[in-house]
């Protein structure tokens, strides 16, 4: 009871709720790791902690590197310092650009396109949509027409027929909404 009173007293003293943040995972630079997703998570952590200083961001991100990634970063830092440029001169934007160039899969877009061609709805439209969007994320030049075409082709045949009968939607969002609506009624 005393602990509860103390917790209530402490809560009433704080004008804002304090979040308990999970620190981002380490990044190893393995071929199956997504450097863009890792940078996004680290960026979200910086937003939540209101960290804005480049030097601290780079140092923190560097402390999360392991394996191939830390070997790459150590080599860059040592070469940079040997030429008279300290690690602290690296901005967060420069760090993101360098680590992305080093660890983003070269053929990721091509691989994602191939995966989209073969992606099929196995259960609900919602699950298919989630998998479709997660794959399409890696194709930076995917047009609206191509999204519509690829998504439609992956739907179950009976759903495709119902959509054609009702009229093909003219946007990706409308196609997804129509497919989800029909999926719940079939």
């Amino acid at each position: 009871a005393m602990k509860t009173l103390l917790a209530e007293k402490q809560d009433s003293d704080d004008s804002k709720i304090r979040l308990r943040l999970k620190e981002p995972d380490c990044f190893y630079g393995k071929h199956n790791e997504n450097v863009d997703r890792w940078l996004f998570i680290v960026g979200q952590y910086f937003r939540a902690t209101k960290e804005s200083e480049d030097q601290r961001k780079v140092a923190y991100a560097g402390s999360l590197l392991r394996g191939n990634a830390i070997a790459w970063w150590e080599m860059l830092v040592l070469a940079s310092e040997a030429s008279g440029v300290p690690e602290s001169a690296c901005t967060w934007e420069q760090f993101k650009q360098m680590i992305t160039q080093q660890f983003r899969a070269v053929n990721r877009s091509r691989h994602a396109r191939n995966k989209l061609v073969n992606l099929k709805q196995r259960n609900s439209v919602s699950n298919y949509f989630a998998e479709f969007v997660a794959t399409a994320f890696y194709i930076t030049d995917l047009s609206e027409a191509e999204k519509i075409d690829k998504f439609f082709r992956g739907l179950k045949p009976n759903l495709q027929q119902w959509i054609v009968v009702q009229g093909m939607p003219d946007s990706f969002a409308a196609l997804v909404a129509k497919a989800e609506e029909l999926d719940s009624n079939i």
Side-chain angles (χ1 to χ4, degrees):
M2 184 57 122
K3 282 184 181 177
T4 306
L5 287 175
L6 288 174
E8 286 175 4
K9 171 92 173 95
Q10 186 177 11
D11 288 346
S12 65
D13 291 345
D14 292 340
S15 59
K16 295 181 181 177
I17 297 172
R18 295 193 183 195
L19 300 175
R20 183 170 298 190
L21 297 175
K22 180 190 178 303
E23 292 201 7
D25 291 332
C26 291
F27 181 74
Y28 291 81
K30 295 177 182 172
H31 74 281
N32 61 340
E33 281 182 296
N34 183 332
V35 69
D36 298 296
R37 177 97 10 97
W38 180 78
L39 285 169
F40 177 76
I41 290 167
V42 172
Q44 291 293 100
Y45 182 79
F46 289 149
R47 278 189 276 295
T49 59
K50 296 183 175 146
E51 183 57 64
S52 60
E53 187 185 323
D54 272 352
Q55 189 175 346
R56 290 169 52 103
K57 285 179 172 183
V58 172
Y60 180 75
S63 76
L64 294 174
L65 301 178
R66 302 287 186 274
N68 293 338
I70 192 60
W72 162 81
W73 183 238
E74 181 181 20
M75 183 184 69
L76 271 184
V77 168
L78 293 175
S80 178
E81 288 176 347
S83 65
V85 180
E87 177 185 357
S88 59
C90 181
T91 68
W92 174 237
E93 288 304 316
Q94 289 169 332
F95 177 85
K96 290 192 311 186
Q97 184 179 2
M98 289 186 302
I99 197 169
T100 300
Q101 285 174 344
Q102 181 67 30
F103 293 105
R104 183 184 280 160
V106 176
N107 62 352
R108 191 173 64 182
S109 178
R110 186 170 43 86
H111 176 72
R113 280 187 192 281
N114 291 339
K115 186 175 177 184
L116 273 190
V117 167
N118 298 312
L119 194 61
K120 301 288 181 215
Q121 177 192 357
R122 291 185 299 277
N123 42 46
S124 74
V125 170
S126 296
N127 287 349
Y128 170 58
F129 171 73
E131 193 173 358
F132 185 93
V133 170
T135 304
F137 173 78
Y138 298 109
I139 307 170
T140 55
D141 61 346
L142 188 63
S143 71
E144 180 79 357
E146 194 178 358
K147 279 197 289 192
I148 291 169
D149 178 66
K150 298 261 191 295
F151 188 81
F152 179 78
R153 288 173 187 262
L155 290 170
K156 291 179 179 176
N158 64 334
L159 208 46
Q160 288 179 356
Q161 290 170 349
W162 276 102
I163 289 170
V164 169
V165 167
Q166 293 195 4
M168 189 68 167
D170 60 353
S171 74
F172 178 68
L175 174 59
V176 172
K178 177 59 75 180
E180 285 183 331
E181 174 192 328
L182 291 172
D183 192 39
S184 64
N185 295 330
I186 294 177

